[in-house]
Amino acid sequence: MAAVGCARVEPVPLDSGRVLDDLRWTTLEAALGRGQGTAGPFDPSDGLTVGEAVSVALILNPDLGLARSEAGIAEAQLLSAGLFPDPEVDAGWVRLGGETQIGIALLQSLSHLWERPVRRERARLRLEEVHHRIAAAEWDLAHAVRSGWAGLLAAGESTGFAEEALRLKGRLLRIMEDRLSLGAVAEMEANLARMDHAEAQRRLRRAQGEETWAWQAINRLLGVGPDVRFDLQAGTNPWEVRAVEFPIERLEDAAVSHRPDLAGLRAAYEQAEMAVQLAARGRAPRLRAGPSYEREGGDESAGAAASVEIPLWNRNRGEVAEMLARRETAEREFRLALADVRSELAFVLADLERLGAEVRYYEEDVLPRLGRNAEILEAALLAGKFDVSALLHLQNRLLEAREDAVGARLRYRQAANRLETLVGVPLPELGPAVREEGWS
């Protein structure tokens, strides 16, 4: 905006190498240099909480930076809407019969005077719409980081389970190899242990690959390089979720009141309404007037001049029809967005109920039973009395149940996170009908 009043605007070529270097040097510490975000000061060296990760994303995420740049365009449009049009100079020169006639008129559009307030209001609404869209992008990004954070925690737990299973299967394989060398077990039993150990190695590699992918996803959201790593401050209960007891009508009302994207669509509709008013005013005659000067021979005269554009044939009917159609489109876009919100709210509430039952099934039934079996398994290993097939089956079942339980927790948390995204406001702010539940 600094170059608006300059006669010359200097070119700024795009240096792709500089952009790449800037991306390579974007780290967590860069967030401290550009602002503290919503979580306040923090030290990346001791890891990040999920709130601090959200703050980093709000500062460094490139998609959000692009969205914020739209505000500069809207501000320039607001400036343009408040400017008066430059006057027109109407000049003529005629030489007739040895006499020279000169006429000059400075004409200023008067129609712009009563259109200017409407144009400024329309531009202000455009800026308001952009700010709402930026707020919506920030809200969505914050919850995307929270979901990605949960996915990273889940991937880390799955890797830990796979490592534990590999250690146990390696221990069993060594026992079987020793027994085979003593002739105490058959070759087939030893082969079963070898095959299962190889399968455990494959599962560990898969879990590590999924954890790497989860790191790439969270780093992309935070706006840092793909190789950045940091410790996770998960808190005392990282899987704490909120069970919702609100009626869906209350959630729908909250979404209409709080969702910034819906507010942006309302501002877009109001802009369309302003455009209809401007188009309708285009049906009126457009007047330009100003001072004039004439010289004919040795005589000079000054006065006033005016010109009128008479809407006789056109009457701006085409633009009026187009703006009416745009207003109808804006109304339909708002209606469609609100219908999508209502549909997704119903789906997420049903999904939360289903996933909650699934989490309780694993936490209250499957894992306690398998945990008891794991104790029996350890005792059998120490005593040297076990059936290889049954032992391998129990190990695999325990690992699968743990992975399934982590997956159920993750899906529940992401669904709860999606619900808050849809409502557009933190659920505790809606009142006491939200109770806290957590599974560890």
Side-chain angles (χ1 to χ4, degrees):
M1 300 296 292
V4 169
C6 299
R8 175 180 171 82
V9 178
E10 295 295 332
V12 181
L14 180 63
D15 186 344
S16 57
R18 182 187 58 81
V19 173
L20 182 58
D21 288 339
D22 182 58
L23 291 173
R24 285 171 174 164
W25 286 98
T26 300
T27 62
L28 295 177
E29 289 74 16
L32 299 177
R34 301 183 191 179
Q36 293 297 341
T38 59
F42 61 90
D43 182 5
S45 63
D46 65 355
L48 298 182
T49 65
V50 64
E52 291 170 345
V54 169
S55 294
V56 172
L58 292 177
I59 297 169
L60 299 181
N61 183 274
D63 292 330
L64 192 56
L66 178 61
R68 286 170 175 157
S69 67
E70 291 293 323
I73 299 175
E75 289 171 358
Q77 291 173 338
L78 179 58
L79 173 65
S80 177
L83 298 176
F84 287 97
D86 292 324
E88 301 177 10
V89 175
D90 188 4
W93 176 86
V94 177
R95 183 171 180 81
L96 182 63
E99 297 289 337
T100 300
Q101 180 178 355
I102 299 175
I104 301 176
L106 185 66
L107 302 179
Q108 177 69 55
S109 174
L110 301 182
S111 301
H112 189 84
L113 294 177
W114 56 80
E115 291 179 356
R116 180 172 176 268
V118 181
R119 294 184 185 278
R120 282 183 55 83
E121 177 63 13
R122 183 185 178 189
R124 187 197 66 78
L125 288 170
R126 170 58 182 164
L127 182 59
E128 180 181 322
E129 176 194 357
V130 170
H131 284 308
H132 283 311
R133 293 189 184 278
I134 292 172
E138 292 173 342
W139 181 255
D140 290 343
L141 176 62
H143 287 81
V145 170
R146 294 182 182 278
S147 292
W149 187 268
L152 187 56
L153 288 176
E157 287 194 16
S158 295
T159 299
F161 294 151
E163 290 173 344
E164 181 183 342
L166 181 60
R167 286 192 297 268
L168 187 58
K169 291 177 187 294
R171 179 181 171 189
L172 177 60
L173 178 59
R174 289 190 295 272
I175 293 174
M176 295 302 295
E177 294 286 3
D178 292 341
R179 288 190 174 189
L180 179 64
S181 64
L182 297 174
V185 296
E187 180 74 23
M188 183 179 69
E189 291 181 301
N191 280 336
L192 283 176
R194 295 186 189 110
M195 292 172 60
D196 210 59
H197 184 265
E199 173 64 16
Q201 290 177 319
R202 186 193 68 81
R203 285 192 173 189
L204 176 57
R205 288 193 297 269
R206 183 186 66 182
Q208 291 171 336
E210 291 177 352
E211 186 175 7
T212 298
W213 183 90
W215 272 111
Q216 300 299 333
I218 196 71
N219 284 351
R220 174 66 181 84
L221 290 170
L222 265 59
V224 297
D227 298 327
V228 173
R229 293 292 182 270
F230 48 86
D231 293 329
L232 306 181
Q233 295 184 24
T236 56
N237 187 359
W239 294 114
E240 188 176 64
V241 296
R242 298 180 177 91
V244 181
E245 298 176 341
F246 293 113
I248 190 172
E249 293 80 8
R250 186 171 177 185
L251 297 175
E252 291 173 352
D253 292 340
V256 172
S257 301
H258 296 286
R259 278 183 62 120
D261 59 334
L262 293 180
L265 289 173
R266 287 195 296 269
Y269 176 84
E270 292 173 3
Q271 288 175 66
E273 181 65 47
M274 295 290 101
V276 170
Q277 294 184 30
L278 285 172
R281 293 187 182 192
R283 294 171 172 173
R286 306 188 70 83
L287 174 65
R288 290 189 295 275
S292 66
Y293 167 81
E294 290 188 4
R295 179 178 179 179
E296 183 175 356
D299 298 329
E300 297 181 356
S301 63
S307 68
V308 179
E309 179 184 325
I310 302 175
L312 184 60
W313 314 115
N314 189 318
R315 293 188 54 80
N316 214 31
R317 286 175 295 179
E319 185 178 358
V320 169
E322 179 184 350
M323 293 304 106
L324 287 173
R326 289 184 181 275
R327 185 180 64 182
E328 182 180 357
T329 299
E331 190 273 338
R332 291 183 180 275
E333 287 177 348
F334 180 83
R335 180 182 294 272
L336 176 60
L338 189 54
D340 287 342
V341 169
R342 297 185 67 239
S343 177
E344 286 197 63
L345 279 173
F347 174 80
V348 171
L349 289 174
D351 211 31
L352 281 171
E353 184 176 355
R354 176 184 65 84
L355 292 172
E358 185 178 354
V359 171
R360 287 189 291 271
Y361 165 71
Y362 281 108
E363 298 294 339
E364 299 173 4
D365 188 13
V366 175
L367 289 180
R369 294 178 187 274
L370 287 174
R372 174 55 184 157
N373 285 343
E375 295 174 0
I376 298 173
L377 164 64
E378 183 65 25
L381 282 174
L382 292 175
K385 298 177 181 180
F386 53 85
D387 176 81
V388 176
S389 298
L391 189 58
L392 294 176
H393 175 73
L394 177 59
Q395 289 177 340
N396 292 332
R397 185 69 187 92
L398 180 59
L399 176 60
E400 291 172 357
R402 284 176 168 177
E403 290 179 343
D404 290 345
V406 169
R409 291 170 176 172
L410 176 60
R411 289 190 295 274
Y412 192 101
R413 174 150 183 176
Q414 289 178 334
N417 190 52
R418 178 58 182 158
L419 177 64
E420 191 169 271
T421 306
L422 287 169
V423 174
V425 65
L427 294 181
E429 295 185 12
L430 296 182
V434 177
R435 56 184 173 84
E436 301 290 339
E437 287 187 359
W439 292 278
S440 58

